[in-house]
Protein backbone atom coordinates (compact mmCIF):
# COMPACT_ATOMS: atom_id res chain seq x y z
CA UNK A 1 0.00 0.00 0.00
CA UNK A 2 1.51 3.40 -0.97
CA UNK A 3 2.52 5.69 1.88
CA UNK A 4 0.17 8.44 3.01
CA UNK A 5 1.06 11.79 1.37
CA UNK A 6 1.80 13.57 4.65
CA UNK A 7 3.92 10.68 5.91
CA UNK A 8 5.72 10.67 2.59
CA UNK A 9 6.19 14.44 2.82
CA UNK A 10 7.92 14.09 6.16
CA UNK A 11 10.25 11.43 4.76
CA UNK A 12 11.13 13.48 1.67
CA UNK A 13 11.77 16.68 3.60
CA UNK A 14 13.94 14.82 6.10
CA UNK A 15 15.91 13.12 3.34
CA UNK A 16 16.52 16.33 1.43
CA UNK A 17 17.56 18.12 4.60
CA UNK A 18 20.36 15.68 5.43
CA UNK A 19 23.55 17.62 5.67
CA UNK A 20 21.81 20.97 5.48
CA UNK A 21 22.41 23.57 8.13
CA UNK A 22 19.22 24.51 9.97
CA UNK A 23 19.29 28.22 10.72
CA UNK A 24 16.72 30.58 12.14
CA UNK A 25 14.91 32.84 9.69
CA UNK A 26 16.69 36.18 9.65
CA UNK A 27 17.00 39.12 7.30
CA UNK A 28 20.23 39.79 5.45
CA UNK A 29 21.55 43.33 5.18
CA UNK A 30 19.59 45.31 2.60
CA UNK A 31 21.01 47.87 0.19
CA UNK A 32 22.15 51.16 1.66
CA UNK A 33 19.31 53.58 2.28
CA UNK A 34 16.59 50.92 1.89
CA UNK A 35 15.08 49.58 5.10
CA UNK A 36 11.84 48.19 3.66
CA UNK A 37 11.22 44.59 4.69
CA UNK A 38 8.26 42.24 4.51
CA UNK A 39 7.48 38.98 6.26
CA UNK A 40 6.24 35.73 4.76
CA UNK A 41 5.18 32.93 7.13
CA UNK A 42 7.38 34.28 9.89
CA UNK A 43 10.42 34.73 7.65
CA UNK A 44 11.64 38.29 7.24
CA UNK A 45 12.43 38.95 3.58
CA UNK A 46 15.57 41.09 3.34
CA UNK A 47 15.13 44.62 2.03
CA UNK A 48 17.33 43.63 -0.92
CA UNK A 49 14.33 41.81 -2.45
CA UNK A 50 12.11 44.91 -2.64
CA UNK A 51 12.45 46.25 -6.21
CA UNK A 52 12.98 49.96 -6.84
CA UNK A 53 10.13 52.02 -8.26
CA UNK A 54 11.96 52.51 -11.57
CA UNK A 55 13.74 49.80 -13.54
CA UNK A 56 16.47 50.08 -16.19
CA UNK A 57 15.57 49.65 -19.84
CA UNK A 58 17.88 46.85 -21.00
CA UNK A 59 17.09 43.24 -20.12
CA UNK A 60 19.70 41.61 -17.92
CA UNK A 61 20.89 44.93 -16.48
CA UNK A 62 22.08 44.65 -12.88
CA UNK A 63 19.88 46.64 -10.52
CA UNK A 64 21.80 45.85 -7.35
CA UNK A 65 24.05 43.21 -5.86
CA UNK A 66 25.62 42.33 -2.51
CA UNK A 67 27.73 39.54 -0.98
CA UNK A 68 25.76 36.37 -0.24
CA UNK A 69 27.09 34.11 2.54
CA UNK A 70 26.84 30.43 1.62
CA UNK A 71 25.72 28.33 4.57
CA UNK A 72 27.53 25.26 3.28
CA UNK A 73 31.00 26.72 2.88
CA UNK A 74 34.54 26.05 4.06
CA UNK A 75 37.49 28.42 4.34
CA UNK A 76 40.14 28.10 1.66
CA UNK A 77 43.57 29.59 0.95
CA UNK A 78 42.27 31.78 -1.86
CA UNK A 79 38.76 32.28 -0.50
CA UNK A 80 35.74 30.27 0.58
CA UNK A 81 35.00 26.82 -0.84
CA UNK A 82 33.24 25.95 -3.10
CA UNK A 83 33.11 29.60 -4.15
CA UNK A 84 32.21 33.21 -3.47
CA UNK A 85 28.52 34.11 -3.90
CA UNK A 86 26.82 37.36 -4.83
CA UNK A 87 23.13 38.09 -4.47
CA UNK A 88 21.69 39.70 -7.62
CA UNK A 89 18.71 41.72 -8.72
CA UNK A 90 18.37 42.27 -12.46
CA UNK A 91 15.86 43.54 -14.98
CA UNK A 92 13.79 41.24 -17.16
CA UNK A 93 10.60 41.39 -19.23
CA UNK A 94 7.53 39.34 -18.36
CA UNK A 95 5.04 37.57 -20.62
CA UNK A 96 2.99 40.76 -20.96
CA UNK A 97 5.98 42.78 -22.13
CA UNK A 98 6.28 44.63 -18.84
CA UNK A 99 9.55 45.39 -17.08
CA UNK A 100 10.12 43.28 -13.98
CA UNK A 101 12.85 42.89 -11.37
CA UNK A 102 14.16 39.35 -10.78
CA UNK A 103 16.55 38.17 -8.08
CA UNK A 104 19.05 35.35 -8.02
CA UNK A 105 22.65 34.56 -7.17
CA UNK A 106 26.01 34.24 -8.91
CA UNK A 107 28.70 31.95 -7.53
CA UNK A 108 32.33 32.29 -8.61
CA UNK A 109 33.90 28.86 -8.09
CA UNK A 110 37.13 28.34 -6.19
CA UNK A 111 37.97 25.33 -8.37
CA UNK A 112 39.88 25.85 -11.60
CA UNK A 113 38.11 25.14 -14.87
CA UNK A 114 40.01 22.31 -16.55
CA UNK A 115 38.05 22.15 -19.76
CA UNK A 116 38.70 23.84 -23.07
CA UNK A 117 38.30 27.61 -23.34
CA UNK A 118 37.58 30.23 -20.69
CA UNK A 119 35.60 29.46 -17.56
CA UNK A 120 32.02 28.65 -18.63
CA UNK A 121 28.75 29.74 -17.08
CA UNK A 122 25.69 27.63 -16.29
CA UNK A 123 22.31 29.16 -15.49
CA UNK A 124 20.52 26.89 -13.04
CA UNK A 125 16.73 27.06 -13.17
CA UNK A 126 15.46 25.67 -9.85
CA UNK A 127 12.86 22.97 -9.55
CA UNK A 128 9.64 23.69 -7.68
CA UNK A 129 10.41 25.75 -4.59
CA UNK A 130 6.93 27.11 -3.87
CA UNK A 131 5.26 30.51 -4.19
CA UNK A 132 6.13 32.28 -0.93
CA UNK A 133 8.98 34.76 -1.19
CA UNK A 134 10.88 32.90 1.55
CA UNK A 135 11.18 29.93 -0.85
CA UNK A 136 13.52 31.69 -3.30
CA UNK A 137 16.54 29.61 -4.35
CA UNK A 138 18.97 32.47 -3.62
CA UNK A 139 17.78 32.50 0.00
CA UNK A 140 18.16 28.72 0.13
CA UNK A 141 21.86 29.09 -0.62
CA UNK A 142 22.16 31.06 2.60
CA UNK A 143 19.59 29.03 4.57
CA UNK A 144 19.40 25.47 3.12
CA UNK A 145 16.72 24.57 5.65
CA UNK A 146 14.19 27.00 7.07
CA UNK A 147 11.95 25.43 9.67
CA UNK A 148 10.23 27.86 12.02
CA UNK A 149 6.86 26.26 12.75
CA UNK A 150 5.19 28.27 9.97
CA UNK A 151 7.11 27.20 6.90
CA UNK A 152 9.35 24.39 5.64
CA UNK A 153 11.80 25.39 2.91
CA UNK A 154 14.52 23.04 1.71
CA UNK A 155 17.25 24.13 -0.70
CA UNK A 156 17.49 20.82 -2.52
CA UNK A 157 18.72 22.59 -5.66
CA UNK A 158 21.95 23.45 -3.83
CA UNK A 159 23.22 19.97 -4.72
CA UNK A 160 23.32 20.61 -8.47
CA UNK A 161 24.83 24.06 -7.91
CA UNK A 162 27.67 22.68 -5.81
CA UNK A 163 28.38 19.82 -8.21
CA UNK A 164 28.84 22.32 -11.02
CA UNK A 165 31.05 24.57 -8.88
CA UNK A 166 33.33 21.65 -8.02
CA UNK A 167 34.00 21.25 -11.75
CA UNK A 168 35.11 24.87 -11.99
CA UNK A 169 31.90 26.01 -13.70
CA UNK A 170 30.53 29.42 -12.69
CA UNK A 171 26.85 29.28 -11.76
CA UNK A 172 24.06 31.82 -11.84
CA UNK A 173 20.74 30.85 -10.23
CA UNK A 174 17.49 32.61 -10.99
CA UNK A 175 14.67 32.98 -8.47
CA UNK A 176 12.15 33.44 -11.32
CA UNK A 177 9.67 36.27 -11.75
CA UNK A 178 7.95 37.11 -8.46
CA UNK A 179 9.72 34.58 -6.24
CA UNK A 180 11.72 36.46 -3.62
CA UNK A 181 10.86 39.87 -5.01
CA UNK A 182 8.07 41.34 -2.92
CA UNK A 183 6.19 43.34 -5.56
CA UNK A 184 4.24 40.55 -7.25
CA UNK A 185 3.23 36.90 -7.08
CA UNK A 186 5.45 34.22 -8.59
CA UNK A 187 4.16 33.15 -12.01
CA UNK A 188 4.76 29.45 -11.48
CA UNK A 189 5.51 27.43 -14.68
CA UNK A 190 4.87 30.41 -16.94
CA UNK A 191 6.75 29.56 -20.14
CA UNK A 192 7.83 33.07 -21.15
CA UNK A 193 8.51 34.44 -17.66
CA UNK A 194 10.68 31.44 -16.82
CA UNK A 195 12.64 31.56 -20.08
CA UNK A 196 13.30 35.29 -19.83
CA UNK A 197 14.39 35.05 -16.19
CA UNK A 198 16.92 32.33 -17.10
CA UNK A 199 18.37 34.13 -20.12
CA UNK A 200 18.58 37.49 -18.35
CA UNK A 201 20.36 35.84 -15.42
CA UNK A 202 23.18 35.01 -17.84
CA UNK A 203 23.36 38.64 -18.95
CA UNK A 204 23.39 39.83 -15.33
CA UNK A 205 26.22 37.45 -14.39
CA UNK A 206 28.33 38.68 -17.28
CA UNK A 207 27.81 42.26 -16.14
CA UNK A 208 29.08 41.59 -12.61
CA UNK A 209 32.54 43.14 -12.18
CA UNK A 210 33.71 40.41 -9.82
CA UNK A 211 32.74 37.58 -12.20
CA UNK A 212 35.41 35.87 -14.28
CA UNK A 213 32.92 34.95 -17.01
CA UNK A 214 32.61 37.15 -20.09
CA UNK A 215 30.79 37.18 -23.40
CA UNK A 216 33.43 34.70 -24.59
CA UNK A 217 32.44 32.12 -21.96
CA UNK A 218 30.38 29.18 -23.17
CA UNK A 219 26.90 29.09 -21.63
CA UNK A 220 24.82 26.12 -20.54
CA UNK A 221 21.36 25.80 -19.01
CA UNK A 222 20.46 23.27 -16.32
CA UNK A 223 17.01 22.55 -14.89
CA UNK A 224 14.75 19.78 -13.66
CA UNK A 225 10.95 19.79 -13.24
CA UNK A 226 9.86 23.43 -13.14
CA UNK A 227 13.48 24.19 -13.98
CA UNK A 228 13.40 21.76 -16.89
CA UNK A 229 10.42 23.61 -18.31
CA UNK A 230 12.19 26.95 -17.86
CA UNK A 231 15.40 25.82 -19.57
CA UNK A 232 13.46 24.14 -22.38
CA UNK A 233 11.50 27.33 -22.97
CA UNK A 234 14.70 29.39 -22.77
CA UNK A 235 16.36 27.23 -25.43
CA UNK A 236 13.36 27.86 -27.69
CA UNK A 237 13.17 31.61 -27.08
CA UNK A 238 16.91 32.39 -27.03
CA UNK A 239 17.20 33.20 -30.77
CA UNK A 240 14.45 35.83 -30.60
CA UNK A 241 14.82 37.14 -27.05
CA UNK A 242 18.54 36.87 -26.29
CA UNK A 243 20.60 36.41 -29.47
CA UNK A 244 23.66 37.59 -27.52
CA UNK A 245 23.41 34.51 -25.25
CA UNK A 246 24.71 31.67 -27.38
CA UNK A 247 23.95 28.27 -25.85
CA UNK A 248 26.49 25.45 -25.81
CA UNK A 249 23.98 23.02 -24.32
CA UNK A 250 20.70 22.76 -22.44
CA UNK A 251 19.60 20.12 -19.97
CA UNK A 252 15.83 19.89 -19.52
CA UNK A 253 14.93 17.21 -16.98
CA UNK A 254 11.29 16.19 -16.49
CA UNK A 255 10.02 19.30 -18.28
CA UNK A 256 6.32 20.21 -17.79
CA UNK A 257 5.92 20.90 -21.51
CA UNK A 258 2.15 20.38 -21.65
CA UNK A 259 0.42 21.99 -18.66
CA UNK A 260 -2.94 20.47 -19.57
CA UNK A 261 -1.48 17.01 -18.99
CA UNK A 262 0.50 18.09 -15.93
CA UNK A 263 -2.59 19.68 -14.36
CA UNK A 264 -4.45 16.41 -14.67
CA UNK A 265 -1.56 14.45 -13.17
CA UNK A 266 -0.86 16.59 -10.09
CA UNK A 267 -4.51 16.83 -9.05
CA UNK A 268 -4.93 14.55 -6.05
CA UNK A 269 -1.20 13.77 -5.94
CA UNK A 270 1.36 14.32 -3.20
CA UNK A 271 2.08 17.70 -4.76
CA UNK A 272 -1.52 18.76 -5.35
CA UNK A 273 -0.62 22.17 -3.94
CA UNK A 274 1.28 22.92 -7.15
CA UNK A 275 -2.09 23.13 -8.85
CA UNK A 276 -2.87 26.15 -6.67
CA UNK A 277 0.48 27.75 -7.56
CA UNK A 278 -0.33 27.26 -11.23
CA UNK A 279 -3.76 28.87 -10.89
CA UNK A 280 -2.35 31.78 -8.90
CA UNK A 281 0.31 32.31 -11.54
CA UNK A 282 -2.17 32.15 -14.41
CA UNK A 283 -4.31 34.83 -12.74
CA UNK A 284 -1.23 36.98 -12.12
CA UNK A 285 -0.30 36.81 -15.82
CA UNK A 286 -3.81 37.06 -17.26
CA UNK A 287 -6.28 38.94 -15.05
CA UNK A 288 -8.95 38.38 -17.73
CA UNK A 289 -9.19 34.80 -16.43
CA UNK A 290 -10.45 36.07 -13.07
CA UNK A 291 -14.18 35.99 -14.00
CA UNK A 292 -13.84 32.30 -14.92
CA UNK A 293 -12.10 31.59 -11.63
CA UNK A 294 -14.79 33.46 -9.71
CA UNK A 295 -17.48 31.48 -11.50
CA UNK A 296 -16.01 28.10 -10.56
CA UNK A 297 -13.82 28.39 -7.44
CA UNK A 298 -15.72 28.08 -4.15
CA UNK A 299 -14.82 29.63 -0.82
CA UNK A 300 -12.64 26.69 0.21
CA UNK A 301 -10.79 26.92 -3.08
CA UNK A 302 -10.23 30.65 -2.70
CA UNK A 303 -8.84 30.09 0.79
CA UNK A 304 -6.56 27.34 -0.50
CA UNK A 305 -5.20 29.57 -3.27
CA UNK A 306 -4.52 32.36 -0.79
CA UNK A 307 -2.86 29.94 1.64
CA UNK A 308 -0.70 28.36 -1.05
CA UNK A 309 0.47 31.74 -2.34
CA UNK A 310 2.82 32.02 0.65
CA UNK A 311 3.81 28.35 0.90
CA UNK A 312 7.03 26.52 0.04
CA UNK A 313 7.04 22.99 -1.36
CA UNK A 314 7.41 21.45 2.11
CA UNK A 315 4.37 23.35 3.37
CA UNK A 316 2.28 22.22 0.40
CA UNK A 317 3.26 18.58 0.91
CA UNK A 318 2.12 18.70 4.51
CA UNK A 319 -0.92 20.91 3.97
CA UNK A 320 -2.39 19.77 0.65
CA UNK A 321 -0.78 16.44 -0.25
CA UNK A 322 -3.41 14.11 -1.74
CA UNK A 323 -6.13 16.77 -1.97
CA UNK A 324 -8.50 16.89 -4.94
CA UNK A 325 -9.47 20.05 -6.78
CA UNK A 326 -13.08 18.84 -6.80
CA UNK A 327 -13.21 20.22 -3.26
CA UNK A 328 -12.26 23.66 -4.61
CA UNK A 329 -15.06 24.11 -7.13
CA UNK A 330 -18.70 25.12 -6.75
CA UNK A 331 -19.78 22.42 -9.20
CA UNK A 332 -17.67 19.56 -7.86
CA UNK A 333 -15.77 19.45 -11.16
CA UNK A 334 -12.03 19.00 -11.19
CA UNK A 335 -9.84 21.77 -12.56
CA UNK A 336 -9.18 19.58 -15.60
CA UNK A 337 -12.95 19.34 -16.15
CA UNK A 338 -13.18 23.13 -15.93
CA UNK A 339 -10.40 23.49 -18.50
CA UNK A 340 -12.24 21.18 -20.90
CA UNK A 341 -15.39 23.27 -20.44
CA UNK A 342 -13.73 26.63 -21.05
CA UNK A 343 -12.15 27.35 -24.48
CA UNK A 344 -10.42 30.45 -23.08
CA UNK A 345 -8.51 28.29 -20.61
CA UNK A 346 -7.65 25.79 -23.33
CA UNK A 347 -6.22 28.58 -25.46
CA UNK A 348 -4.22 30.00 -22.54
CA UNK A 349 -2.67 26.62 -21.75
CA UNK A 350 -1.98 25.93 -25.42
CA UNK A 351 0.08 29.13 -25.48
CA UNK A 352 2.12 27.73 -22.57
CA UNK A 353 2.99 24.58 -24.53
CA UNK A 354 6.72 24.03 -25.02
CA UNK A 355 7.86 22.35 -28.23
CA UNK A 356 6.46 24.57 -30.95
CA UNK A 357 9.84 26.15 -31.70
CA UNK A 358 13.24 24.69 -32.54
CA UNK A 359 15.62 25.01 -29.58
CA UNK A 360 19.00 26.67 -29.92
CA UNK A 361 22.02 24.41 -29.60
CA UNK A 362 22.09 20.79 -28.43
CA UNK A 363 19.53 19.75 -25.83
CA UNK A 364 19.30 16.80 -23.47
CA UNK A 365 15.78 15.78 -22.46
CA UNK A 366 15.58 13.32 -19.56
CA UNK A 367 12.38 11.88 -18.15
CA UNK A 368 11.64 9.04 -15.76
CA UNK A 369 9.56 6.37 -17.47
CA UNK A 370 7.57 5.91 -14.24
CA UNK A 371 7.09 9.63 -13.65
CA UNK A 372 3.35 10.16 -13.24
CA UNK A 373 3.59 13.57 -11.54
CA UNK A 374 5.14 15.42 -14.48
CA UNK A 375 3.99 12.72 -16.90
CA UNK A 376 6.63 10.86 -18.85
CA UNK A 377 4.53 10.85 -22.02
CA UNK A 378 4.32 14.61 -22.41
CA UNK A 379 8.06 15.01 -21.72
CA UNK A 380 8.84 12.39 -24.37
CA UNK A 381 6.52 14.25 -26.74
CA UNK A 382 8.71 17.37 -26.30
CA UNK A 383 11.74 15.41 -27.53
CA UNK A 384 9.73 14.08 -30.48
CA UNK A 385 8.50 17.58 -31.35
CA UNK A 386 12.02 18.97 -31.24
CA UNK A 387 13.39 16.10 -33.31
CA UNK A 388 10.72 16.83 -35.90
CA UNK A 389 12.05 20.38 -36.17
CA UNK A 390 15.58 19.19 -36.84
CA UNK A 391 16.95 19.94 -33.37
CA UNK A 392 20.02 18.20 -31.95
CA UNK A 393 18.34 16.15 -29.23
CA UNK A 394 19.74 13.62 -26.78
CA UNK A 395 16.72 11.86 -25.32
CA UNK A 396 17.26 9.91 -22.08
CA UNK A 397 14.50 7.73 -20.64
CA UNK A 398 15.42 7.09 -17.00
CA UNK A 399 14.31 3.51 -16.33
CA UNK A 400 13.19 3.22 -12.73
CA UNK A 401 10.32 1.15 -11.31
CA UNK A 402 7.23 2.93 -10.06
CA UNK A 403 6.96 2.92 -6.27
CA UNK A 404 3.35 4.00 -5.74
CA UNK A 405 4.21 7.62 -4.93
CA UNK A 406 4.02 10.29 -7.61
CA UNK A 407 6.51 12.44 -5.70
CA UNK A 408 9.14 9.69 -5.49
CA UNK A 409 8.53 8.64 -9.09
CA UNK A 410 9.23 12.23 -10.09
CA UNK A 411 12.21 13.03 -7.87
CA UNK A 412 14.11 9.74 -8.10
CA UNK A 413 15.31 10.47 -11.67
CA UNK A 414 16.53 13.88 -10.51
CA UNK A 415 19.02 12.19 -8.20
CA UNK A 416 19.94 9.15 -10.28
CA UNK A 417 20.50 11.06 -13.52
CA UNK A 418 21.98 14.29 -12.16
CA UNK A 419 25.65 13.29 -12.35
CA UNK A 420 25.32 12.07 -15.92
CA UNK A 421 23.40 15.20 -16.89
CA UNK A 422 26.13 17.43 -15.45
CA UNK A 423 28.80 15.43 -17.28
CA UNK A 424 26.90 15.81 -20.55
CA UNK A 425 26.60 19.56 -20.02
CA UNK A 426 30.25 20.07 -19.04
CA UNK A 427 31.28 18.21 -22.20
CA UNK A 428 29.32 20.78 -24.20
CA UNK A 429 30.97 23.58 -22.21
CA UNK A 430 34.36 22.12 -23.15
CA UNK A 431 33.46 22.31 -26.82
CA UNK A 432 32.91 18.60 -27.39
CA UNK A 433 30.27 18.02 -30.07
CA UNK A 434 26.96 16.51 -29.04
CA UNK A 435 25.34 13.64 -30.82
CA UNK A 436 21.65 13.11 -31.40
CA UNK A 437 19.52 10.02 -30.97
CA UNK A 438 16.42 11.32 -32.71
CA UNK A 439 16.72 8.39 -35.08
CA UNK A 440 15.97 6.03 -32.19
CA UNK A 441 12.79 7.72 -30.94
CA UNK A 442 10.40 5.17 -32.55
CA UNK A 443 11.81 2.47 -30.26
CA UNK A 444 12.51 4.59 -27.16
CA UNK A 445 10.18 4.20 -24.16
Amino acid sequence: MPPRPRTLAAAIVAALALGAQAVPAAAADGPAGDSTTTTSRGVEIPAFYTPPSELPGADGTLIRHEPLPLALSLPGIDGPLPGRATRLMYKSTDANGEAVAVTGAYIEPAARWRGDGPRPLVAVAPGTMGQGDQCAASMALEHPLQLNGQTVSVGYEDLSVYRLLLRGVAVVVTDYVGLGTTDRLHTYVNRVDGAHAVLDAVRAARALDSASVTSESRVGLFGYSQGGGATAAAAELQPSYAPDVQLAGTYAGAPPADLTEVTKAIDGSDLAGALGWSLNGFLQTEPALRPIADRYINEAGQEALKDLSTMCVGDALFGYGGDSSTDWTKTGQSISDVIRAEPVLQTFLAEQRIGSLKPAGPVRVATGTSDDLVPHGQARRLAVDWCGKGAQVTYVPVLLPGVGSGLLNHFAPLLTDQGTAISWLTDRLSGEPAGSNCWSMPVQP
Side-chain angles (χ1 to χ4, degrees):
M1 182 175 182
R4 295 282 298 170
R6 286 164 179 77
T7 302
L8 177 63
I12 292 295
V13 170
L16 291 175
L18 287 176
Q21 178 181 353
V23 295
D29 291 336
D34 186 351
S35 59
T36 302
T37 59
T38 60
T39 301
S40 180
R41 290 190 177 266
V43 178
E44 191 173 341
I45 308 302
F48 183 95
Y49 290 84
T50 299
S53 57
E54 294 186 10
L55 300 178
D59 291 320
T61 300
L62 276 172
I63 298 170
R64 62 174 68 124
H65 59 87
E66 67 178 15
L68 172 64
L70 296 175
L72 304 177
S73 181
L74 295 172
I77 297 176
D78 298 320
L81 302 172
R84 192 180 302 276
T86 303
R87 202 188 319 264
L88 308 175
M89 179 182 284
Y90 58 93
K91 188 263 181 180
S92 189
T93 297
D94 70 12
N96 293 324
E98 297 178 358
V100 61
V102 181
T103 53
Y106 171 80
I107 307 98
E108 178 76 21
R112 183 166 64 90
W113 167 243
R114 300 180 182 277
D116 180 63
R119 187 191 300 279
L121 173 67
V122 167
V124 171
T128 297
M129 305 299 290
Q131 203 159 45
D133 287 330
Q134 77 278 13
C135 318
S138 63
M139 294 188 200
L141 288 166
E142 184 176 5
H143 304 302
L145 174 63
Q146 295 207 69
L147 182 63
N148 65 356
Q150 298 182 56
T151 191
V152 179
S153 179
V154 181
Y156 63 88
E157 204 64 74
D158 293 1
L159 176 61
S160 62
V161 171
Y162 278 52
R163 293 178 81 161
L164 287 162
L165 293 172
L166 290 175
R167 291 177 179 239
V169 176
V171 175
V172 63
V173 182
T174 181
D175 289 333
Y176 297 123
V177 174
L179 191 59
T181 48
T182 57
D183 61 333
R184 62 171 65 197
L185 196 64
H186 171 43
T187 46
Y188 181 69
V189 296
N190 181 290
R191 178 178 68 93
V192 175
D193 282 10
H196 288 185
V198 169
L199 294 168
D200 286 327
V202 173
R203 290 164 160 164
R206 286 173 170 175
L208 192 64
D209 289 339
S210 59
S212 62
V213 296
T214 69
S215 59
E216 301 301 315
S217 299
R218 292 190 178 100
V219 175
L221 307 180
F222 186 96
Y224 187 89
S225 192
Q226 180 186 0
T231 58
E236 286 192 342
L237 294 180
Q238 178 273 327
S240 60
Y241 182 75
D244 54 307
V245 180
Q246 296 295 311
L247 299 178
T250 296
Y251 164 64
D258 185 340
L259 295 187
T260 300
E261 291 298 317
V262 175
T263 295
K264 187 188 309 179
I266 63 177
D267 200 346
S269 74
D270 304 332
L271 198 56
L275 184 57
W277 296 329
S278 301
L279 294 175
N280 284 334
F282 298 161
L283 294 173
Q284 168 79 28
T285 297
E286 186 51 80
L289 297 178
R290 175 64 65 181
I292 298 176
D294 291 343
R295 190 160 68 248
Y296 283 98
I297 304 299
N298 60 22
E299 185 176 350
Q302 296 287 358
E303 286 298 318
L305 295 183
K306 181 180 179 181
D307 193 26
L308 283 158
S309 71
T310 60
M311 281 188 166
C312 297
V313 65
D315 309 322
L317 290 172
F318 287 118
Y320 292 92
D323 286 6
S324 171
S325 67
T326 57
D327 295 331
W328 295 356
T329 63
K330 298 174 183 178
T331 61
Q333 294 171 281
S334 68
I335 296 299
S336 291
D337 291 335
V338 173
I339 292 170
R340 283 191 291 269
E342 295 290 339
V344 173
L345 292 177
Q346 295 171 31
T347 299
F348 180 83
L349 290 180
E351 292 171 350
Q352 296 295 325
R353 176 77 178 267
I354 306 170
S356 62
L357 300 171
K358 180 181 177 180
V363 292
R364 184 181 190 271
V365 178
T367 166
T369 56
S370 296
D371 192 342
D372 49 1
L373 193 67
V374 178
H376 164 70
Q378 59 86 46
R380 183 187 185 281
R381 168 54 57 183
L382 174 63
V384 171
D385 289 344
W386 277 348
C387 285
K389 291 174 172 50
Q392 196 172 8
V393 180
T394 298
Y395 169 73
V396 181
V398 182
L399 305 176
L400 293 172
V403 294
S405 161
L407 191 65
L408 289 178
N409 289 339
H410 177 59
F411 276 102
L414 164 67
L415 299 176
T416 58
D417 183 57
Q418 189 175 85
T420 306
I422 288 175
S423 293
W424 179 90
L425 189 56
T426 51
D427 284 346
R428 308 290 79 75
L429 297 173
S430 290
E432 295 184 24
S436 174
N437 63 353
C438 283
W439 61 269
S440 71
M441 288 308 299
V443 295
Q444 290 278 17

